[in-house]
Amino acid sequence: MHKTPIDLRRLLPLVLLTLTLLTPRLVSAADSAQTAGPEQPFPSEQPADIPRADATPAFGYVYTVVAGDDIWQIATAHGLDMESLAAENNLEAPYWLQPGDKLWVPAEPAPVHSPAPPAELQPSESAAIYVVQNGDNLWQIAVAYGFQEQDLAAANNLQPPYLIHPGDRLQIPGQPAQPEVNQAVGQKEQAAPAAAEETQAASPEQASDSATANELSSNSADSAGLSPDAALIFNSMNEKRAAFGLAPLSWSDQLASAAQAHAEDLSWRGWGGHVGSDGAHLRTRYERVGYWATYASENWANAHDAQHAFDMWWFEPDWGPHRLNILGPAYSEIGIGIVKGGWGYYYVADFGSR
């Protein structure tokens, strides 16, 4: 069989035409491969439902502080420790919080249970009757019967500043009559006139000696019968005053009553301040215990112990107001109240002079 030879010269135009048509596509594919690279997937290979890291919110929520909260309660309610929550919010000891403050809590939302206020006392026809004696104040009577001052006031329809007068009759709901308590409440005031009569009967020299002895006695924590914590604060303040050439502070039972009442109030409501739950300011609280001050001021702290409370006041930066109160030359007397509450104790120091 005879085969006709192929003339390659005739095929050359066809080959050139084919190469001309295919060359742009090959170049485009090469450029695309160099741009994407083998390690970068095409957009169509990434599922749309994979979350991005920058779109994932941090775990936690913002908690708004309300009256009665403290950082220990908030931390405990969310299963956190107090120091970690404080560090998360750049708080430093003693971790002061005020209603309305915002805290970032790295946990699921949880209810924070503030201490529930005690049940209010209601007037009762069968309640015991206490007759107010000279020198009494409502806080002293309430404490003697185991009540909060504001609860006893509510039971007797008293409004702030809870003024009472000798001869007033107060109902003590749910309590049997206890004449000995009546005597205990007014015992200190009843003893005062007798002491005054003895002083008047003494000679000038004896009166001077007696005044000196009383001043030394009132400046001694041991003779005042103070608790160890109150004595520590009282003595520490007088040591600092002596180092600066200032006269020592004398102990005042009236200021101590005012300080104790305010400390009880702070513990009951769960947060500190210089205004009482009923809106009473410092001088109003002094007047309730019969102390009419020419100069008055107050320190308070929520601390683990008395030394910590004093250090908070004394080592305040830039000679703050609490340290200036300790060294105030205008103050001559002090009373200290201490109550357990918050994450430690509430300490209140009331300064005054008459």
Side-chain angles (χ1 to χ4, degrees):
M1 181 178 180
H2 179 71
K3 295 183 178 180
T4 303
I6 299 174
D7 188 352
L8 296 178
R9 290 176 297 178
R10 295 180 177 179
L11 296 176
L12 183 59
L14 181 60
V15 172
L16 293 175
L17 179 60
T18 303
L19 290 176
T20 301
L21 295 174
L22 293 178
T23 298
R25 296 184 181 181
L26 294 174
V27 172
S28 177
D31 290 343
S32 178
Q34 291 176 0
T35 302
E39 74 283 358
Q40 299 185 14
F42 291 97
S44 60
E45 297 179 7
Q46 180 172 341
D49 58 349
I50 295 179
R52 304 290 183 87
D54 57 356
T56 303
F59 180 68
Y61 76 109
V62 176
Y63 177 80
T64 302
V65 177
V66 299
D69 284 347
D70 61 51
I71 194 167
W72 179 86
Q73 290 174 321
I74 298 170
T76 301
H78 293 88
L80 305 171
D81 62 83
M82 180 175 65
E83 289 76 13
S84 298
L85 183 58
E88 189 76 25
N89 290 274
N90 297 319
L91 296 177
E92 297 181 357
Y95 311 136
W96 304 128
L97 295 179
Q98 298 294 334
D101 288 350
K102 306 290 186 181
L103 294 181
W104 174 256
V105 181
E108 293 285 351
V112 177
H113 300 286
S114 300
E120 294 186 359
L121 301 179
Q122 299 297 328
S124 171
E125 295 181 357
S126 61
I129 299 298
Y130 177 83
V131 180
V132 176
Q133 308 295 314
N134 184 35
D136 283 349
N137 63 70
L138 192 67
W139 178 84
Q140 290 174 319
I141 300 170
V143 170
Y145 282 96
F147 298 135
Q148 295 284 341
E149 181 187 35
Q150 56 267 36
D151 295 333
L152 185 59
N156 288 274
N157 298 318
L158 296 177
Q159 302 297 323
Y162 306 144
L163 297 179
I164 56 176
H165 304 87
D168 288 350
R169 299 171 65 84
L170 299 179
Q171 292 190 2
I172 313 295
Q175 297 293 316
Q178 298 180 18
E180 66 277 9
V181 176
N182 292 18
Q183 297 173 5
V185 170
Q187 184 175 3
K188 293 180 180 178
E189 296 295 336
Q190 292 170 1
E197 292 174 2
E198 292 177 2
T199 303
Q200 292 175 357
S203 65
E205 293 80 4
Q206 290 174 332
S208 177
D209 293 341
S210 175
T212 302
N214 288 338
E215 180 180 358
L216 294 174
S217 176
S218 63
N219 294 332
S220 170
D222 294 335
S223 64
L226 308 185
S227 69
D229 283 350
L232 185 152
I233 295 175
F234 180 66
N235 290 332
S236 296
M237 287 185 176
N238 278 336
E239 287 173 6
K240 297 298 184 183
R241 290 175 68 89
F244 282 82
L246 297 170
L249 297 169
S250 300
W251 182 263
S252 167
D253 287 335
Q254 288 175 308
L255 290 179
S257 294
Q260 186 68 24
H262 192 51
E264 294 277 359
D265 184 38
L266 300 185
S267 177
W268 172 76
R269 74 185 184 187
W271 53 278
H274 293 293
V275 180
S277 297
D278 58 356
H281 290 268
L282 182 62
R283 288 184 179 272
T284 299
R285 292 189 272 112
Y286 280 18
E287 291 168 5
R288 288 176 181 172
V289 297
Y291 192 98
W292 304 91
T294 302
Y295 296 96
S297 192
E298 181 176 75
N299 288 359
W300 76 267
N302 186 198
H304 286 296
D305 53 49
Q307 186 63 58
H308 185 201
F310 178 79
D311 290 345
M312 288 165 58
W313 297 332
W314 182 253
F315 294 106
E316 191 172 40
D318 302 324
W319 282 73
H322 300 94
R323 180 168 180 164
L324 292 177
N325 282 342
I326 296 173
L327 298 177
Y331 306 128
S332 59
E333 296 180 291
I334 189 175
I336 298 168
I338 304 172
V339 177
K340 185 172 179 59
W343 49 273
Y345 295 83
Y346 283 99
Y347 297 87
V348 176
D350 281 346
F351 304 82
S353 61
R354 291 182 279 195

